[in-house]
Amino acid sequence: MSKDDIQLLIKSLGEQIVIDNNAGDILGTLTKETLRFRDKLLEENGLTLTVADTRIALEALEEFFQDKKPSQKLTSEQTSLLQIWIDKITLFSK
């Protein structure tokens, strides 16, 4: 998955999730963390983070903000990415 793919996906879906004055900053953070995770996953485990993985994690993030449990079963990679985002957004909002 290329950097452009990640940026486009997070921008298109993320704008539906993050609606506040810092949306651009938060979406940039999500993109940066996704790229970092993608590279680490490939380097350390030889696994590829796909567009589908990222989309499912974004949908789970939206559900998290709505105080819902994820509607889909997440893989360990999707769960890790979701947790990274939650941690970063939580830190960002402080």
Side-chain angles (χ1 to χ4, degrees), residues 1-10 28 31-32 34-35 38-39:
M1 171 152 78
S2 74
K3 179 180 178 179
D4 290 340
D5 290 340
I6 291 171
Q7 287 176 325
L8 182 60
L9 179 62
I10 289 177
T31 300
K32 181 177 75 170
T34 304
L35 293 169
R38 175 203 66 183
D39 295 344

Side-chain angles (χ1 to χ4, degrees), residues 13-79:
L13 293 177
E15 287 175 346
Q16 298 171 25
I17 298 170
V18 182
I19 303 171
D20 70 14
N21 295 337
N22 296 332
D25 294 334
I26 293 172
L27 294 175
T29 298
L30 293 179
T31 300
K32 181 177 75 170
E33 292 304 321
T34 304
L35 293 169
R36 183 179 294 158
F37 179 69
R38 175 203 66 183
D39 295 344
K40 181 177 181 180
L41 192 62
L42 184 59
E43 181 181 316
E44 293 181 3
N45 301 354
L47 298 174
T48 301
L49 183 68
T50 66
V51 170
D53 290 327
T54 307
R55 181 181 307 275
I56 290 168
L58 276 170
E59 290 169 0
L61 182 63
E62 181 175 16
E63 292 167 336
F64 170 82
F65 285 125
Q66 296 171 353
D67 292 325
K68 297 179 184 176
K69 292 187 177 193
S71 58
Q72 299 182 53
K73 182 173 167 77
L74 303 178
T75 66
S76 61
E77 293 82 14
Q78 294 162 354
T79 301

Side-chain angles (χ1 to χ4, degrees), residues 70-89:
S71 58
Q72 299 182 53
K73 182 173 167 77
L74 303 178
T75 66
S76 61
E77 293 82 14
Q78 294 162 354
T79 301
S80 295
L81 182 57
L82 174 61
Q83 190 59 54
I84 289 167
W85 289 339
I86 290 170
D87 292 346
K88 289 297 178 177
I89 290 172

